Amino acid sequence: MFGYVIKTLLRHRARTLLTVSGAAVAMFVFCFVGSVQEGLERLTSGSDADRCLIVFQENRFCPSSSRLPEDYAPAIKKLRGVKQVMPIQVWTNNCRASLDIVVFNGIPPEQIRDNRPIQLVNGSWEAFLTRRDAAIIGRNIANRRGLKSGDQFTIGDLSVQVAGVFASDVPSEENLIYTSLQFLQYSRGKDTAGTVTQLEVHLTSDADPDAVASLIDQTLRTGPVATTTRRKGAFQASTLSDLVDLIGFAHWLGYACVGLVLSLVATTTVMSVQDRIKEYAVLQTLGVRPFRTMRLVILESTLLCTVGGVFGTVIASVALWTGGFAIGAEGATIAFRPSPELILVGTAVSCTVGIIAGLAPAIQAATVPIVMALRNE
Amino acid sequence: MALVELKNVCRSFRKGEETITPLDDVTLEIHEGDFVSLMGPSGTGKSTLLNLVAGIDRPDSGSITVAGTEITNLSRGQLADWRAANLGYIFQTHNLIPVLTAYENVELPTLLLKQTAAQRRQRVELALKAVGLSDRADHYPRQLSGGQEQRVGIARAIVANPRVVVADEPTGSLDATTSEQIQELLQRLNRELGMTVLMVTHDRDVAGIATRRLTLNRGKFLPT
């Protein structure tokens, strides 16, 4: 009977194509919204977000306005619970929310190599370590800007030579450009010698992040610049607070897409069943059980929805994976990279919606009085 | 024992304020191998009786026993199983599934029975051969003439080797020549394969091919 359902769908090509396309578009948007939410979730949770602290200048929110003495790093390193301190100079082309934000992180090169979760996919560490204006750039930004090893990349007052392109398991890393700390501190037009934007503090396994954060702020209170220290996840959520609200609201858009698919497939299936109510009556006259009739209708709606949903989800995933899209603000970026789980969720949602959409018409097809339906022309 | 037995069967419908009673205390016995034609003016309950025997409608009262099964008390699902195993239905308007080929249409009832693919194929080929359409197996209904469509409908009705075949005006939508071919085919099914046939028709000539002729009028059989 599976063949019957397939043939029915193929016979009504226009209806099938329109429904599948509608489901695909809606699930494309669902997947897109889902990947943005996943990006935010990754940025604000997980071990890195919880076990790392960011020390920032007190009452400052934009990277360009935070200036901490670089020698805060050794002072923090001495505190109990601190494993390592990484001074970071941040430069961004746009402090406001942007879809094409460029963020430079200047960090001592050895620390980049040893501590950042990145792997060079082309270029070499040697080239990065030996050349002052060398930079390694994340895969996403390389895709967006069309950059490869050996290219010169200039933005604003900064001009770097691409020494390599890196990939990372942490999608937001792939939106960064790493240079040496000194390069970013001394580049033309910057007056930041001896200062850094923020300090990233890595903790020992037994340290309490909140206690260490308080201790850092307390210790540095007597210094020239007061600090605010937070977990990295909380820091990034705070930095992106405007976007967090928007993204939080966008999840309703995801639900709306699911509702759209549901109503679209339900409408198509209802119309299809009403058009073919006599056919279902004939099948039942031949001996097809009512429950089997229901299954035929549900299989039809589920196939329509799943094919469209999977198509939309896969297209969205491929576009997001290859496009390297990201949104950022004030030096923090959210990468739109869908996870395999999101693809599975998209498929499962499509399948479930297909089943639900087919329920009412399936009951109608299975319970309609056979004699009455046979008279239907 | 009768293959089909109706006892004191009543069936009425409400049409607005009016109650129509096409079958009023009808009793009937059809024996194995009978070819029964059912005649009568429009609205006298011929199709209603046929549908009751086919188990796609239920009487208000009385009992219907077909092939040893009292079908009036069966659930909708049980009736479907019973139809698949015991009944072949020939429609006036063929009612073939348009997306399936002639072969697939005929194969449909066999998919509901526990049979191997080879057994199914053999039955379908036999049924198509019986109606003389082996060479049209891969054709879709839209590629067949009205007579050929009806012959596919007949093949579909007999493919599962049912105990009873019911035919609701099987020649009603056909021209005279095609109608004759279908009549011959039905006669052959009855004579050569011994199939029990209950046929509704309003055509006296068509009714003439049956071995037993019944006439319904105002919900009751007229004396033959």
Side-chain angles (χ1 to χ4, degrees), chain B residues 31-173:
Chain B
H31 295 276
E32 191 138 25
D34 278 357
F35 188 162
V36 179
S37 68
L38 200 53
M39 285 193 63
S42 293
T44 52
K46 305 185 297 291
S47 293
T48 303
L49 190 141
L50 194 84
N51 291 336
L52 289 172
V53 172
I56 58 173
D57 195 8
R58 289 179 191 279
D60 298 327
S61 62
S63 73
I64 302 169
T65 305
V66 184
T69 306
E70 157 66 285
I71 63 170
T72 44
N73 297 322
L74 296 181
S75 69
R76 198 168 161 145
Q78 287 170 325
L79 272 173
D81 290 344
W82 173 82
R83 278 194 299 272
N86 295 288
L87 191 99
Y89 199 118
I90 302 169
F91 300 91
Q92 180 184 355
T93 51
H94 331 310
N95 284 338
L96 300 181
I97 307 295
V99 297
L100 302 180
T101 61
Y103 183 96
E104 289 164 338
N105 265 288
V106 176
E107 189 187 25
L108 262 177
T110 63
L111 295 172
L112 307 169
L113 304 173
K114 283 179 183 158
Q115 289 182 341
T116 64
Q119 286 172 322
R120 279 205 305 272
R121 195 179 322 114
Q122 191 185 14
R123 280 202 176 205
V124 175
E125 283 168 0
L126 270 175
L128 281 171
K129 193 176 170 191
V131 298
L133 281 178
S134 297
D135 57 336
R136 295 283 188 274
D138 294 331
H139 286 57
Y140 285 90
R142 64 179 179 279
Q143 298 168 320
L144 300 172
S145 68
Q148 287 172 330
E149 278 193 85
Q150 188 58 297
R151 282 195 275 161
V152 174
I154 292 170
R156 183 176 66 182
I158 62 169
V159 70
N161 200 18
R163 301 290 304 276
V164 185
V165 173
V166 296
D168 190 3
E169 304 205 27
T171 58
S173 60

Side-chain angles (χ1 to χ4, degrees), chain B residues 35 37 39 171 176 179-180 183-184 187 199 201-210 213:
Chain B
F35 188 162
S37 68
M39 285 193 63
T171 58
S179 171
E180 273 176 29
Q183 289 171 49
E184 278 173 30
Q187 267 184 314
M199 175 178 70
T201 181
H202 58 263
D203 186 325
R204 215 165 268 283
D205 293 338
V206 176
I209 66 169
R213 272 152 270 174

